[in-house]
């Protein structure tokens, strides 16, 4: 199956001061180099650059093999909360930013950045065009088959973030502790020949309150899309990739690049799906992936 599209050169249209509508054009798909995946639109979020939990190498592998008309960065790209406490910025995190900019510079990809709560400092300056990245609080995406999706990070619908910020910060510390423990745990699993297993995801689905929170979060966002007369919503924030129908609204969460390594994609016909990057090859590094591709060519 080919996932191809043409680049849209039309200016963005506006619904109001805060919401932009992006509708990439249709037309015959251009040629795509072998080994690359081409999509009409891609949504990714929650990189948490500046933390040890960010799986930058996996993200770089994804960005190196994907071409798209529009790339949406759906918040928590840079973790300012963590950087305020302790500086951590390896070369791979700079490489991620360069890879995103290269998609625009070398391939004409439109980059739309919707800040989240961990990079909320950008919200004071919206709307903003920075280094050819369009930054806005939220936007509406129109698919190839005419459906309209609200694109928003989602923290505004998280009562912990809006009403008890101190609890959100405390929870962030606890989460990062689990992620560090998860790294050590999986290092031992690799040595024993076992595949990757997410401790944080396991805990998330074992704690009844966490499951209830996720359900309320999803329903609140679906209600917002319905209130605005839209067909669906794309968000991030809770690090739980999901796509399901809630009262006729297509709820899509693109996941994260700390645990899940997932993206939401739209192909040339408007079909949308979650992409789990590297599933089944979790410990495979980009160089190993290239050797595997060459061997199968």
């Amino acid at each position: 199956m080919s996932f191809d599209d043409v680049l849209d050169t039309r200016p963005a249209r506006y619904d109001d001061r805060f919401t932009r509508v992006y509708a990439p054009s249709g037309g015959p798909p251009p040629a795509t180099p072998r080994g690359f995946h081409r999509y009409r639109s891609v949504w990714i979020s929650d990189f948490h650059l500046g933390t040890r939990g960010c799986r930058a190498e996996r993200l770089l592998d994804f960005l190196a093999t994907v071409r798209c008309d529009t790339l949406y960065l759906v918040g928590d790209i840079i973790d300012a909360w963590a950087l305020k406490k302790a500086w951590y910025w390896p070369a791979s995190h700079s490489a991620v930013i360069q890879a995103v900019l290269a998609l625009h510079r070398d391939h004409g990809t439109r980059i739309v950045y919707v800040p989240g709560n961990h990079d909320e400092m950008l919200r004071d300056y919206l709307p903003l065009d920075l280094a050819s990245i369009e930054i806005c609080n939220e936007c509406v995406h129109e698919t190839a088959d005419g459906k309209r999706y609200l694109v928003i990070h989602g923290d505004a619908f998280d009562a912990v973030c809006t009403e008890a910020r101190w609890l959100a910060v405390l929870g962030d510390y606890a989460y990062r502790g689990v992620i560090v423990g998860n790294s050590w745990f999986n290092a031992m699993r690799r040595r024993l020949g076992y595949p990757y297993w997410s401790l944080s995801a396991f805990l998330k689905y074992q704690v009844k309150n966490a499951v209830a929170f996720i359900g309320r979060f999803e329903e609140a966002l679906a209600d917002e899309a319905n209130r605005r007369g839209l067909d669906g919503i794309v968000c991030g924030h809770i690090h739980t990739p999901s796509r399901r129908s809630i009262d006729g609204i297509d709820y899509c969460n693109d996941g994260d690049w700390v645990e899940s390594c997932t993206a939401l994609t739209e192909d040339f016909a408007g079909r949308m799906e979650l992409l789990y990057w590297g599933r089944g090859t979790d410990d495979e590094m980009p160089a190993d992936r290239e050797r595997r591709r060459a061997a199968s060519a």
Side-chain angles (χ1 to χ4, degrees), residues 102-269:
L103 285 174
H104 171 77
R105 181 185 65 245
D106 300 336
H107 307 288
T109 300
R110 170 181 279 150
I111 310 294
V112 182
Y113 185 176
V114 178
N117 51 308
H118 284 258
D119 43 20
E120 62 188 353
M121 65 283 185
L122 293 172
R123 290 173 171 169
D124 294 333
Y125 306 99
L126 301 181
L128 177 67
D129 191 308
L130 180 64
S132 300
I133 297 179
E134 299 172 48
I135 308 176
C136 53
N137 193 51
E138 61 182 46
C139 60
V140 173
H141 172 81
E142 186 174 329
T143 64
D145 55 358
K147 294 180 180 178
R148 290 157 52 87
Y149 286 74
L150 176 64
V151 182
I152 190 169
H153 181 65
D155 59 292
F157 297 85
D158 180 349
V160 173
C161 288
T162 57
E163 299 176 16
R165 183 180 173 86
W166 66 270
L167 187 57
V169 174
L170 181 61
D172 180 62
Y173 274 114
Y175 177 74
R176 280 191 276 149
V178 171
I179 293 298
V180 171
N182 192 63
S183 298
W184 287 100
F185 176 72
N186 277 286
M188 295 187 64
R189 283 179 63 88
R190 284 196 300 271
R191 292 179 182 177
L192 295 173
Y194 292 105
Y196 179 85
W197 184 78
S198 176
L199 174 62
S200 57
F202 172 78
L203 293 174
K204 188 182 297 181
Y205 285 103
Q206 291 300 312
V207 178
K208 290 184 179 180
N209 287 342
V211 175
F213 164 77
I214 292 171
R216 290 194 299 270
F217 176 84
E218 294 175 342
E219 290 168 3
L221 284 164
D223 286 344
E224 180 65 13
N226 184 56
R227 185 183 68 82
R228 301 193 191 192
L230 302 173
D231 300 291
I233 191 162
V234 180
C235 63
H237 184 56
I238 59 174
H239 295 204
T240 305
S242 176
R243 187 181 180 206
R244 68 189 186 98
S245 178
I246 303 176
D247 295 329
I249 297 297
D250 190 11
Y251 168 85
C252 306
N253 192 305
D254 60 27
D256 67 282
W257 290 84
V258 175
E259 303 173 63
S260 309
C261 296
T262 51
L264 180 70
T265 64
E266 178 201 1
D267 70 14
F268 186 66

Side-chain angles (χ1 to χ4, degrees), residues 42-59:
V42 171
W43 294 261
I44 47 179
S45 73
D46 296 273
F47 302 177
H48 290 274
L49 296 171
T51 69
R52 297 182 185 277
C54 173
R55 304 183 73 181
E57 293 293 340
R58 182 59 49 82
L59 180 55

